[in-house]
Amino acid sequence: MTSNSRMMFGFSRDGGLPHFFDKVDKRHRAPIRAIWLAATLSFLLAVPSLGSTVAFSAATSIATIGLYISYGLPILIGMIWPQHFEKGPFNLRFASRWISLVAVLWICFITIIFCLPTTNPVDSQTLNYTPVAVGIVALWTVGSWFLWARRWFTGPVRQIQAEQLGIDLEDPAAMEKVEMQAKLGDD
């Protein structure tokens, strides 16, 4: 819930969700709207699980697959295009590519395992609908990128750099001004 609401706040701040959810509450100094969004969506996604073990299994499989894929994509990209990744102070040097390969293969394996049905015989009531749900999300994500998001999404807000420059992160106008200056400087 904590990380989910912070990601929703970040997506909203970066334009991926409506800007209604990127407000930080002055009293609590937390993204209360994003927290409520995360809580509401989590509740709505959990409701079908109350009466069905198959629905619960699918919900946990979807969450697990989503988490693994979110970790696996940067590993795969770094493995395919290592020249575009700047190595940090801790890296695995010569073993990086082999460990990346093992990690990507493991993610492929575990994704397949979590897509399998949990009971036999398989019918419409026991089928694991995880591949359908993950496929819909993947199609929506890729489709929205190619249809409209690539025209306006420029990447995440550089919050750490702005903080280092002494900009008040809780002042949306100051952040917008920095973002505009950065966009004008990039062109």
Side-chain angles (χ1 to χ4, degrees):
M1 180 87 160
T2 303
S3 63
N4 191 10
S5 63
R6 284 354 185 232
M7 285 189 295
M8 289 180 177
F9 167 77
F11 290 146
S12 177
R13 178 199 62 207
D14 298 342
L17 289 173
H19 282 291
F20 176 80
F21 299 107
D22 73 356
K23 306 294 183 258
V24 175
D25 184 72
K26 290 192 187 304
R27 190 173 111 208
H28 298 291
R29 298 183 59 153
I32 300 295
R33 294 175 182 177
I35 292 170
W36 276 108
L37 175 64
T40 303
L41 291 176
S42 297
F43 175 77
L44 292 174
L45 288 172
V47 168
S49 302
L50 295 176
S52 168
T53 56
V54 173
F56 177 76
S57 176
T60 55
S61 294
I62 292 165
T64 304
I65 289 171
L67 183 65
Y68 271 101
I69 290 173
S70 71
Y71 284 134
L73 286 175
I75 295 170
L76 179 64
I77 293 168
M79 193 174 78
I80 294 171
W81 295 290
Q83 68 276 12
H84 296 295
F85 270 69
E86 184 177 321
K87 294 188 182 215
F90 174 79
N91 64 70
L92 301 170
R93 294 184 178 40
F94 63 89
S96 285
R97 294 191 48 86
W98 289 108
I99 292 173
S100 295
L101 178 64
V102 170
V104 168
L105 291 174
W106 171 255
I107 291 168
C108 291
F109 171 74
I110 204 73
T111 299
I112 292 167
I113 294 299
F114 274 98
C115 288
L116 295 175
T118 57
T119 58
N120 260 336
V122 178
D123 60 18
S124 66
Q125 298 303 310
T126 60
L127 181 70
N128 188 349
Y129 291 97
T130 301
V132 175
V134 172
I136 289 170
V137 169
L139 283 173
W140 171 258
T141 304
V142 172
S144 65
W145 173 255
F146 283 108
L147 292 175
W148 67 81
R150 66 186 168 122
R151 293 188 193 105
W152 58 265
F153 185 71
T154 58
V157 172
R158 306 285 190 246
Q159 194 166 353
I160 294 172
Q161 290 90 338
E163 193 173 58
Q164 290 172 345
L165 293 172
I167 296 162
D168 182 13
L169 299 178
E170 293 182 21
D171 180 12
M175 284 302 295
E176 284 179 25
K177 182 178 177 184
V178 169
E179 285 298 310
M180 285 303 292
Q181 289 173 344
K183 286 179 187 175
L184 292 174
D186 289 344
D187 292 339

